[in-house]
Amino acid sequence: MADLDAEFAALLGEVNKIPTQTKAPPKRDKDGKVIQQVEVGVNLGTANEQVERLIAKVFTNGFDVLMLPPEAGEDDIKKQYRKLSLMVHPDKCKHERAQDAFQAVTKAYEELQKPENRTKYQKVIAEARKRVEKQRECVYQCQ
């Protein structure tokens, strides 16, 4: 539980920036797995912009590195990893920090390939969202 609280604390600042969710949550099968694909058509920008983004800060989870929502499935994670890794690969991108960016993308992908890590991040993010929504609700009601 202490690990969950520590991870929550690390994510709280990021989660406060998340807009209130207005769409329905994704459909899940009986095992809790998402059965609808998450849209990964995010504009990635240029290779240099991605390198700068990836080296500019320390990310708290692989979903942020890969620019995916926590509901993303294995196929979405793999597709986004391939796009980003090709974009920032040191052989293709001439930015002097391309190797660091490539390592960040690879590490995020490897973390999210483990179902237990993916589930852990999803739980932490879901809990953080609940707490932030509750906090926002209180702020709006208390005014």
Side-chain angles (χ1 to χ4, degrees), residues 54 57-66 77 81 84-85 88 98-114 117-118 120-121:
L54 290 164
K57 70 175 194 168
V58 176
F59 291 90
T60 56
N61 66 74
F63 292 111
D64 287 345
V65 173
L66 297 178
I77 293 168
Y81 166 71
L84 282 172
S85 65
V88 300
Q99 180 66 35
D100 296 331
F102 181 74
Q103 288 175 347
V105 170
T106 301
K107 180 180 176 188
Y109 176 69
E110 289 171 355
E111 280 184 23
L112 293 177
Q113 285 301 293
K114 298 175 186 170
N117 285 351
R118 205 168 44 246
K120 177 182 77 171
Y121 287 132

